[in-house]
Amino acid sequence: MDFGNPMFLWALPAVLLPVILHLFFKRRKIRVHFSTLLFFVKKERYFAYRRKFYELLLLALRTLIILLLVLALSHIFFKRFNFTTGGSTEAVIILDDSMSMQCNLSAGGTMFDLAKRKAEEMLNSLSGDDGASLVLLSGRQGINLTRDKAEVLKQVRQAQITAATGSMSAATQTAIDQLRKAPGLNREIYILSDFQKNNKPSRAISTASLENCRIFCMPFNGSSENLSVEGVELDSTPKIVNRTVNIPYKIVNHGRSAKDVKVELEIDGKTVQTRQLTVKEQNSASDRFVFVPMRSGRIIGCVKIIDENIPLDNKAFFTFNASGCINVLLVKETRDSEPDPFYFLRFAIDPVKNNPVLGIRTETANLNSLTGELLKNFHILWLAQGEKLPDDKALLIRRYLDNGGVLITLPSGNSSQETYASLSKVSNYKIYNVYRAVAPFNQSGLRFNKPLSELNDLLQLDLIKWRKIQQIHYPAGNAVAVNGESAMILEQPAGKGKWLALSFDLRRDFSNWPLLKSFPVAMSALINYAAGNSEKSLSSVCGENIELYGEKISFSTTYGRSGELKGKDGKCVFTENWLPGVILFSNAEYEAAVVRPDTSESATGIADPGEIKSFFDSPVALLDIGADITSQVTKLRNGADLSGTLLFLMLILLAAEFVIGGNPGMLWERIKKSISGRNKS
Amino acid sequence: MARSQYKYLPPETLDSLKNIELVAKTMVEGGMLGLHRSPYHGFSSEFAEYRKYSPGDSIRYIDWKTYARSDRYYIKCFEEETNLRSYIVLDKSGSMGMASGRPVPVKFNYACYMAAAFMYLMHQQRDAFGLFTYSDKIVDAEECKCSRSHLIKLLKLMEHLSPEGKSDAGGCLKRIAEQVPQRSMVIIFSDFFDHDPEFLKSLHHLTFKKCEVILFQVLNDEELKFPYKGLVQFEDLETGETIDLESEACKDFFLSALNQYNAKLKNFCDSQRISFETLTVSTPFERALAAYFSKREAMF
């Protein structure tokens, strides 16, 4: 509240005049002791009550009339905020660049385009001494408070929509931090957002720490219809050329009406399959594409739909590395006198020379010829060692495991506890030597655990007769296959890869299994399982930073951006992760990253004005984006002049007083009487 | 009683009552001889008839002259003159204490003056008189006597009475009607602001016992004219209940309701041969009394 002519407030005591007159002329109530009240009917009380009410009503009307007159003369203003006229203003614009702002408006264009225009409009309303800054809701870099409004304007114009979500609390806190350091007397925060319901902060954002701060909200509301593609997660099986790859997907309808949608599978920029789906309102529909890669190497694709509203969530990207077959390097000790430990295995998984009919190609090498370059070409290193593994070879294998390689070991000849002990001595990361001594084992049968447990029903594994095993002991490991309490195949993580330790060899020394029909099936399944996580890509959501090990990593994206990341302390961080797609890296441990849009932004539920106000714990002014922003802000800053309204109200009350008080009638009667009296005289 | 020293029987009243004689309109029974005719033939100065002597009759009343003429025993019978048994019934409920702008309970005092005058007249005529006072129950019940000491006792008793409490005229009169002998005179002083139907039944009971019943309704001028103006808070003297009223707005209704009530009561009294008189406290009670007796005389 503010007063233009506060001198008139001295007349406020006049408000008491009707009260004093009322008390002065108030009729005294006479108390009479009467013989009986039986002749009075209760309804006669009505006359007394009506009279009393009538008098009080008149008193209230007269008091209000004088009060309104005094307030109107004192030129009262109503201000929702304190605004120091003449002082400079520091304005922070919080622009919502999250994916939901890509929603279309009925008038054309997107909410984000309109928000940028409104931000420009607001910036233009600032005077020369005022400061301005831009904070983007997604967390993307904006611009700090500056007097150079042209620079802020440029930033606003250059702002791009992202497929990330945003934090209203974090953005407001950034604005508060900027304003706290600012010299201006007036501090204002302008929030241009759609105020999505699911982005509502868990508790009201506090601006109490900042004095003289005003918050103006401009809520944008676009179309409520939207379709999005989600759930494209490929399974972990190795992707082999000419073998089927399942590509599941889910279409979500966030709108209020059922939609027919055409779903396309796009591989390397070309549509290869299409589907037609009907998705009910506020519901989802799931299906899958079955794709057969025809070439080896990295394949990039997406499942896409055609939906005009929020195009950023219309594509769900995926990538995988298709190989011609699973390459297995079989490494044996250099002593040729020993029988070939892989004799039966080779026949089981790669029976035809130079034709991997089972999708597995084997190559045999001696331990002495094992090099890093050789290992790069193989998914799996299968090691049959009898004597102690030399330290240099152990180091070589550890590096291979670090980069995601798979090691399968089995006992051979005079294996002992020390055979693979050197693997655990190289200490980049923890790896345990699980082998113990070779011991007789007069048992039969084998039982696979998940995920290979399907083999138990398929194969006659109870025909396996064990003679001896090299005992495996590692309680924290994952037993892939067991016999009773004994682990027969044990898996433990090793770097980014894994180590599968077999307790038996693949000849007839330890069991009769190599001679059984179940052997080749079980070995193929084991190799497929072991090579499962050989995919070297990661998954990320827009807005998240991607951390990679490396000093100098090059990248290129499906949306046409490329560059180089410079590392610090051996680590590179990819920060500009704002759009969905696939990012390809070179010289990094990951070859690719699949970036998905933030699914929370696909929902189109907008908070109503009451809810928007509840985002904050201080008063908030909602601006109408359909009207001129400058005039609205000016009005809120200066306050509303209530004099006219008060005078109008006073006139209404005066008329009511005349009607209720019956004064016009009485006055007329008096005039008539005085005229007739004069005529007579 | 040459010089009265009693509140309700001042000396000036005695003079005005000198020539007033109460004559019962109907025949009443009495224990003593008086001016009133009795249906019982007894032995008095006024001859009625002869009848044959029967054993057990007193030989005092044998007419010896007739015996001499006829040689038979005849007893002389006389028409007996008996005294009147009258009961004064005084309403001392709170409603009778209406002050009428003065600090004295005018209605009750007026009723007491009237009662005292009646008692004095009874005494002068050698008629027996008793007194009942009631509010929500019978407070005083004095039997009928005609002695001077009884008059003094009742006058003193009345001096100590004050109007208070609620009224249960119906219940009290019913009990009085049960106690009062047949053919008595019952004079009731009250405002009769009792809407209890039991009250009318009690009056009917009294007339059934062939009593002469006289109702004196004592009212204030305020009750009859309702002179109040502006906002008035009326407090019921009996219940303490209050009601705020615009007096001008409800004056007509009140007076109309009062008149209707009185008319209804009067009609009932007429049907039961009961005298009903409304007295205003502004009228001097001697004048009111004289007016009543002149009216009463005209009836005989």
Side-chain angles (χ1 to χ4, degrees), chain B residues 165-198:
Chain B
K166 289 183 179 177
S167 169
D168 179 18
C172 293
L173 279 180
K174 187 183 173 186
R175 283 193 290 279
I176 289 168
E178 285 163 359
Q179 289 179 29
V180 167
Q182 282 193 342
R183 296 174 187 275
S184 301
M185 178 184 268
V186 180
I187 306 166
I188 308 172
F189 294 96
S190 174
D191 49 16
F192 302 114
F193 287 155
D194 203 320
H195 292 224
D196 185 7
E198 196 67 27

mmCIF file of all heavy atoms in Angstrom, chain B residues 165-198:
data_model
loop_
_atom_site.group_PDB
_atom_site.id
_atom_site.type_symbol
_atom_site.label_atom_id
_atom_site.label_comp_id
_atom_site.label_asym_id
_atom_site.label_seq_id
_atom_site.Cartn_x
_atom_site.Cartn_y
_atom_site.Cartn_z
ATOM 1 N N GLY B 165 -42.901 -15.552 43.267
ATOM 2 C CA GLY B 165 -43.037 -16.923 42.777
ATOM 3 C C GLY B 165 -43.934 -17.029 41.554
ATOM 4 O O GLY B 165 -44.581 -16.069 41.139
ATOM 5 N N LYS B 166 -43.898 -18.224 41.019
ATOM 6 C CA LYS B 166 -44.717 -18.479 39.842
ATOM 7 C C LYS B 166 -46.161 -18.743 40.265
ATOM 8 O O LYS B 166 -46.431 -19.003 41.428
ATOM 9 C CB LYS B 166 -44.174 -19.706 39.089
ATOM 10 C CG LYS B 166 -42.864 -19.445 38.410
ATOM 11 C CD LYS B 166 -42.431 -20.663 37.632
ATOM 12 C CE LYS B 166 -41.114 -20.388 36.928
ATOM 13 N NZ LYS B 166 -40.628 -21.564 36.216
ATOM 14 N N SER B 167 -47.045 -18.699 39.288
ATOM 15 C CA SER B 167 -48.461 -18.893 39.591
ATOM 16 C C SER B 167 -48.921 -20.247 39.063
ATOM 17 O O SER B 167 -48.585 -20.632 37.957
ATOM 18 C CB SER B 167 -49.271 -17.772 38.918
ATOM 19 O OG SER B 167 -50.631 -18.091 38.986
ATOM 20 N N ASP B 168 -49.688 -20.951 39.947
ATOM 21 C CA ASP B 168 -50.337 -22.178 39.492
ATOM 22 C C ASP B 168 -51.799 -22.084 39.952
ATOM 23 O O ASP B 168 -52.245 -22.797 40.868
ATOM 24 C CB ASP B 168 -49.626 -23.400 40.082
ATOM 25 C CG ASP B 168 -50.284 -24.693 39.649
ATOM 26 O OD1 ASP B 168 -51.046 -24.670 38.647
ATOM 27 O OD2 ASP B 168 -50.058 -25.719 40.314
ATOM 28 N N ALA B 169 -52.516 -21.158 39.359
ATOM 29 C CA ALA B 169 -53.878 -20.873 39.788
ATOM 30 C C ALA B 169 -54.748 -22.108 39.646
ATOM 31 O O ALA B 169 -55.574 -22.386 40.527
ATOM 32 C CB ALA B 169 -54.437 -19.717 38.962
ATOM 33 N N GLY B 170 -54.565 -22.848 38.565
ATOM 34 C CA GLY B 170 -55.398 -24.025 38.317
ATOM 35 C C GLY B 170 -55.287 -25.034 39.440
ATOM 36 O O GLY B 170 -56.283 -25.450 40.035
ATOM 37 N N GLY B 171 -54.036 -25.409 39.767
ATOM 38 C CA GLY B 171 -53.786 -26.421 40.789
ATOM 39 C C GLY B 171 -54.252 -25.956 42.159
ATOM 40 O O GLY B 171 -54.872 -26.717 42.922
ATOM 41 N N CYS B 172 -53.949 -24.686 42.466
ATOM 42 C CA CYS B 172 -54.278 -24.173 43.799
ATOM 43 C C CYS B 172 -55.805 -24.062 43.979
ATOM 44 O O CYS B 172 -56.339 -24.445 45.019
ATOM 45 C CB CYS B 172 -53.621 -22.817 44.013
ATOM 46 S SG CYS B 172 -51.830 -22.942 44.075
ATOM 47 N N LEU B 173 -56.484 -23.520 42.977
ATOM 48 C CA LEU B 173 -57.948 -23.365 43.090
ATOM 49 C C LEU B 173 -58.640 -24.722 43.167
ATOM 50 O O LEU B 173 -59.684 -24.860 43.803
ATOM 51 C CB LEU B 173 -58.477 -22.570 41.898
ATOM 52 C CG LEU B 173 -58.327 -21.051 42.003
ATOM 53 C CD1 LEU B 173 -58.889 -20.381 40.763
ATOM 54 C CD2 LEU B 173 -59.027 -20.500 43.236
ATOM 55 N N LYS B 174 -58.039 -25.706 42.503
ATOM 56 C CA LYS B 174 -58.631 -27.043 42.571
ATOM 57 C C LYS B 174 -58.630 -27.539 44.022
ATOM 58 O O LYS B 174 -59.632 -28.071 44.523
ATOM 59 C CB LYS B 174 -57.804 -27.988 41.676
ATOM 60 C CG LYS B 174 -58.407 -29.362 41.532
ATOM 61 C CD LYS B 174 -57.496 -30.237 40.689
ATOM 62 C CE LYS B 174 -58.022 -31.668 40.702
ATOM 63 N NZ LYS B 174 -57.097 -32.581 40.030
ATOM 64 N N ARG B 175 -57.463 -27.334 44.662
ATOM 65 C CA ARG B 175 -57.378 -27.780 46.067
ATOM 66 C C ARG B 175 -58.288 -26.952 46.976
ATOM 67 O O ARG B 175 -58.894 -27.460 47.907
ATOM 68 C CB ARG B 175 -55.923 -27.710 46.525
ATOM 69 C CG ARG B 175 -55.092 -28.870 45.989
ATOM 70 C CD ARG B 175 -53.753 -28.975 46.679
ATOM 71 N NE ARG B 175 -52.889 -27.866 46.307
ATOM 72 C CZ ARG B 175 -52.194 -27.834 45.157
ATOM 73 N NH1 ARG B 175 -52.280 -28.834 44.301
ATOM 74 N NH2 ARG B 175 -51.445 -26.795 44.884
ATOM 75 N N ILE B 176 -58.372 -25.642 46.684
ATOM 76 C CA ILE B 176 -59.252 -24.778 47.481
ATOM 77 C C ILE B 176 -60.716 -25.245 47.302
ATOM 78 O O ILE B 176 -61.471 -25.341 48.271
ATOM 79 C CB ILE B 176 -59.080 -23.297 47.069
ATOM 80 C CG1 ILE B 176 -57.702 -22.805 47.549
ATOM 81 C CG2 ILE B 176 -60.173 -22.419 47.642
ATOM 82 C CD1 ILE B 176 -57.292 -21.467 46.973
ATOM 83 N N ALA B 177 -61.068 -25.538 46.053
ATOM 84 C CA ALA B 177 -62.448 -25.968 45.783
ATOM 85 C C ALA B 177 -62.781 -27.252 46.545
ATOM 86 O O ALA B 177 -63.918 -27.459 46.957
ATOM 87 C CB ALA B 177 -62.615 -26.181 44.283
ATOM 88 N N GLU B 178 -61.766 -28.098 46.716
ATOM 89 C CA GLU B 178 -62.010 -29.333 47.460
ATOM 90 C C GLU B 178 -62.229 -29.056 48.952
ATOM 91 O O GLU B 178 -62.962 -29.767 49.632
ATOM 92 C CB GLU B 178 -60.824 -30.283 47.279
ATOM 93 C CG GLU B 178 -60.805 -30.931 45.904
ATOM 94 C CD GLU B 178 -59.450 -31.539 45.566
ATOM 95 O OE1 GLU B 178 -58.517 -31.444 46.393
ATOM 96 O OE2 GLU B 178 -59.313 -32.087 44.447
ATOM 97 N N GLN B 179 -61.534 -27.998 49.440
ATOM 98 C CA GLN B 179 -61.604 -27.700 50.882
ATOM 99 C C GLN B 179 -62.842 -26.884 51.262
ATOM 100 O O GLN B 179 -63.356 -26.990 52.383
ATOM 101 C CB GLN B 179 -60.353 -26.920 51.302
ATOM 102 C CG GLN B 179 -59.093 -27.769 51.292
ATOM 103 C CD GLN B 179 -57.861 -26.961 51.697
ATOM 104 O OE1 GLN B 179 -57.988 -26.015 52.458
ATOM 105 N NE2 GLN B 179 -56.718 -27.344 51.171
ATOM 106 N N VAL B 180 -63.272 -26.047 50.341
ATOM 107 C CA VAL B 180 -64.342 -25.095 50.676
ATOM 108 C C VAL B 180 -65.667 -25.857 50.821
ATOM 109 O O VAL B 180 -66.000 -26.696 49.984
ATOM 110 C CB VAL B 180 -64.440 -24.034 49.551
ATOM 111 C CG1 VAL B 180 -65.700 -23.223 49.672
ATOM 112 C CG2 VAL B 180 -63.237 -23.134 49.608
ATOM 113 N N PRO B 181 -66.459 -25.553 51.909
ATOM 114 C CA PRO B 181 -67.764 -26.220 52.068
ATOM 115 C C PRO B 181 -68.742 -25.773 50.980
ATOM 116 O O PRO B 181 -68.517 -24.751 50.327
ATOM 117 C CB PRO B 181 -68.234 -25.760 53.430
ATOM 118 C CG PRO B 181 -67.066 -25.138 54.092
ATOM 119 C CD PRO B 181 -66.154 -24.670 53.050
ATOM 120 N N GLN B 182 -69.804 -26.544 50.829
ATOM 121 C CA GLN B 182 -70.812 -26.187 49.835
ATOM 122 C C GLN B 182 -71.464 -24.861 50.186
ATOM 123 O O GLN B 182 -71.560 -24.470 51.348
ATOM 124 C CB GLN B 182 -71.896 -27.269 49.804
ATOM 125 C CG GLN B 182 -71.445 -28.506 49.042
ATOM 126 C CD GLN B 182 -72.613 -29.425 48.757
ATOM 127 O OE1 GLN B 182 -73.659 -29.307 49.399
ATOM 128 N NE2 GLN B 182 -72.426 -30.321 47.821
ATOM 129 N N ARG B 183 -71.936 -24.178 49.140
ATOM 130 C CA ARG B 183 -72.703 -22.940 49.272
ATOM 131 C C ARG B 183 -71.924 -21.839 49.976
ATOM 132 O O ARG B 183 -72.474 -21.028 50.703
ATOM 133 C CB ARG B 183 -74.026 -23.182 50.020
ATOM 134 C CG ARG B 183 -74.946 -24.102 49.263
ATOM 135 C CD ARG B 183 -76.162 -24.437 50.062
ATOM 136 N NE ARG B 183 -76.944 -25.444 49.378
ATOM 137 C CZ ARG B 183 -77.847 -25.164 48.415
ATOM 138 N NH1 ARG B 183 -78.044 -23.928 48.045
ATOM 139 N NH2 ARG B 183 -78.517 -26.144 47.844
ATOM 140 N N SER B 184 -70.614 -21.843 49.844
ATOM 141 C CA SER B 184 -69.794 -20.751 50.385
ATOM 142 C C SER B 184 -69.681 -19.658 49.336
ATOM 143 O O SER B 184 -70.075 -19.845 48.180
ATOM 144 C CB SER B 184 -68.386 -21.244 50.709
ATOM 145 O OG SER B 184 -68.455 -22.276 51.636
ATOM 146 N N MET B 185 -69.186 -18.564 49.808
ATOM 147 C CA MET B 185 -68.860 -17.479 48.857
ATOM 148 C C MET B 185 -67.343 -17.471 48.684
ATOM 149 O O MET B 185 -66.624 -17.486 49.682
ATOM 150 C CB MET B 185 -69.364 -16.143 49.380
ATOM 151 C CG MET B 185 -69.018 -14.977 48.473
ATOM 152 S SD MET B 185 -69.514 -13.415 49.171
ATOM 153 C CE MET B 185 -71.124 -13.230 48.478
ATOM 154 N N VAL B 186 -66.885 -17.471 47.452
ATOM 155 C CA VAL B 186 -65.440 -17.467 47.184
ATOM 156 C C VAL B 186 -65.110 -16.222 46.358
ATOM 157 O O VAL B 186 -65.658 -16.027 45.268
ATOM 158 C CB VAL B 186 -65.009 -18.733 46.415
ATOM 159 C CG1 VAL B 186 -63.510 -18.708 46.140
ATOM 160 C CG2 VAL B 186 -65.371 -19.984 47.197
ATOM 161 N N ILE B 187 -64.297 -15.354 46.945
ATOM 162 C CA ILE B 187 -63.937 -14.102 46.276
ATOM 163 C C ILE B 187 -62.446 -14.194 45.932
ATOM 164 O O ILE B 187 -61.604 -14.335 46.816
ATOM 165 C CB ILE B 187 -64.184 -12.893 47.189
ATOM 166 C CG1 ILE B 187 -65.635 -12.915 47.686
ATOM 167 C CG2 ILE B 187 -63.889 -11.587 46.467
ATOM 168 C CD1 ILE B 187 -65.889 -11.988 48.838
ATOM 169 N N ILE B 188 -62.147 -14.138 44.634
ATOM 170 C CA ILE B 188 -60.756 -14.354 44.186
ATOM 171 C C ILE B 188 -60.201 -13.053 43.626
ATOM 172 O O ILE B 188 -60.828 -12.424 42.765
ATOM 173 C CB ILE B 188 -60.682 -15.450 43.113
ATOM 174 C CG1 ILE B 188 -61.407 -16.715 43.606
ATOM 175 C CG2 ILE B 188 -59.249 -15.762 42.748
ATOM 176 C CD1 ILE B 188 -61.559 -17.788 42.558
ATOM 177 N N PHE B 189 -59.065 -12.660 44.164
ATOM 178 C CA PHE B 189 -58.369 -11.465 43.668
ATOM 179 C C PHE B 189 -57.103 -11.929 42.921
ATOM 180 O O PHE B 189 -56.224 -12.536 43.509
ATOM 181 C CB PHE B 189 -57.976 -10.546 44.819
ATOM 182 C CG PHE B 189 -59.149 -9.946 45.525
ATOM 183 C CD1 PHE B 189 -59.662 -10.519 46.672
ATOM 184 C CD2 PHE B 189 -59.758 -8.796 45.022
ATOM 185 C CE1 PHE B 189 -60.750 -9.965 47.322
ATOM 186 C CE2 PHE B 189 -60.849 -8.240 45.690
ATOM 187 C CZ PHE B 189 -61.353 -8.830 46.837
ATOM 188 N N SER B 190 -57.050 -11.599 41.663
ATOM 189 C CA SER B 190 -55.884 -11.997 40.863
ATOM 190 C C SER B 190 -55.909 -11.213 39.554
ATOM 191 O O SER B 190 -56.868 -10.495 39.258
ATOM 192 C CB SER B 190 -55.936 -13.509 40.581
ATOM 193 O OG SER B 190 -54.902 -13.863 39.708
ATOM 194 N N ASP B 191 -54.801 -11.365 38.794
ATOM 195 C CA ASP B 191 -54.853 -10.794 37.434
ATOM 196 C C ASP B 191 -55.316 -11.866 36.431
ATOM 197 O O ASP B 191 -55.567 -11.562 35.287
ATOM 198 C CB ASP B 191 -53.494 -10.222 37.016
ATOM 199 C CG ASP B 191 -52.368 -11.190 37.270
ATOM 200 O OD1 ASP B 191 -52.654 -12.389 37.482
ATOM 201 O OD2 ASP B 191 -51.207 -10.761 37.260
ATOM 202 N N PHE B 192 -55.385 -13.087 36.893
ATOM 203 C CA PHE B 192 -55.866 -14.223 36.079
ATOM 204 C C PHE B 192 -55.092 -14.402 34.776
ATOM 205 O O PHE B 192 -55.632 -14.874 33.795
ATOM 206 C CB PHE B 192 -57.368 -14.088 35.781
ATOM 207 C CG PHE B 192 -58.206 -14.017 37.026
ATOM 208 C CD1 PHE B 192 -58.900 -12.877 37.353
ATOM 209 C CD2 PHE B 192 -58.266 -15.102 37.880
ATOM 210 C CE1 PHE B 192 -59.653 -12.807 38.506
ATOM 211 C CE2 PHE B 192 -59.032 -15.032 39.041
ATOM 212 C CZ PHE B 192 -59.715 -13.872 39.363
ATOM 213 N N PHE B 193 -53.823 -13.991 34.801
ATOM 214 C CA PHE B 193 -53.017 -14.209 33.598
ATOM 215 C C PHE B 193 -52.488 -15.639 33.627
ATOM 216 O O PHE B 193 -51.298 -15.886 33.730
ATOM 217 C CB PHE B 193 -51.853 -13.209 33.537
ATOM 218 C CG PHE B 193 -52.292 -11.811 33.207
ATOM 219 C CD1 PHE B 193 -51.536 -10.724 33.593
ATOM 220 C CD2 PHE B 193 -53.470 -11.577 32.500
ATOM 221 C CE1 PHE B 193 -51.929 -9.437 33.287
ATOM 222 C CE2 PHE B 193 -53.868 -10.293 32.199
ATOM 223 C CZ PHE B 193 -53.106 -9.209 32.598
ATOM 224 N N ASP B 194 -53.407 -16.535 33.585
ATOM 225 C CA ASP B 194 -53.038 -17.933 33.657
ATOM 226 C C ASP B 194 -53.765 -18.668 32.554
ATOM 227 O O ASP B 194 -54.980 -18.757 32.562
ATOM 228 C CB ASP B 194 -53.445 -18.490 35.028
ATOM 229 C CG ASP B 194 -52.623 -19.692 35.379
ATOM 230 O OD1 ASP B 194 -52.367 -20.499 34.465
ATOM 231 O OD2 ASP B 194 -52.214 -19.810 36.549
ATOM 232 N N HIS B 195 -52.984 -19.132 31.629
ATOM 233 C CA HIS B 195 -53.628 -19.768 30.476
ATOM 234 C C HIS B 195 -53.866 -21.255 30.720
ATOM 235 O O HIS B 195 -54.046 -22.013 29.789
ATOM 236 C CB HIS B 195 -52.762 -19.556 29.227
ATOM 237 C CG HIS B 195 -52.713 -18.127 28.793
ATOM 238 N ND1 HIS B 195 -52.831 -17.745 27.489
ATOM 239 C CD2 HIS B 195 -52.611 -16.977 29.493
ATOM 240 C CE1 HIS B 195 -52.769 -16.425 27.399
ATOM 241 N NE2 HIS B 195 -52.621 -15.947 28.614
ATOM 242 N N ASP B 196 -53.853 -21.627 31.978
ATOM 243 C CA ASP B 196 -53.973 -23.035 32.322
ATOM 244 C C ASP B 196 -55.453 -23.449 32.260
ATOM 245 O O ASP B 196 -56.293 -22.871 32.968
ATOM 246 C CB ASP B 196 -53.410 -23.224 33.741
ATOM 247 C CG ASP B 196 -53.382 -24.673 34.152
ATOM 248 O OD1 ASP B 196 -53.678 -25.526 33.293
ATOM 249 O OD2 ASP B 196 -53.076 -24.927 35.331
ATOM 250 N N PRO B 197 -55.831 -24.445 31.481
ATOM 251 C CA PRO B 197 -57.239 -24.883 31.417
ATOM 252 C C PRO B 197 -57.742 -25.446 32.753
ATOM 253 O O PRO B 197 -58.936 -25.472 33.018
ATOM 254 C CB PRO B 197 -57.239 -25.947 30.326
ATOM 255 C CG PRO B 197 -55.838 -26.284 30.068
ATOM 256 C CD PRO B 197 -54.991 -25.169 30.535
ATOM 257 N N GLU B 198 -56.791 -25.866 33.601
ATOM 258 C CA GLU B 198 -57.163 -26.389 34.922
ATOM 259 C C GLU B 198 -57.847 -25.315 35.765
ATOM 260 O O GLU B 198 -58.682 -25.605 36.623
ATOM 261 C CB GLU B 198 -55.876 -26.880 35.611
ATOM 262 C CG GLU B 198 -56.079 -27.780 36.803
ATOM 263 C CD GLU B 198 -56.674 -29.133 36.409
ATOM 264 O OE1 GLU B 198 -56.466 -29.571 35.254
ATOM 265 O OE2 GLU B 198 -57.358 -29.722 37.252
#
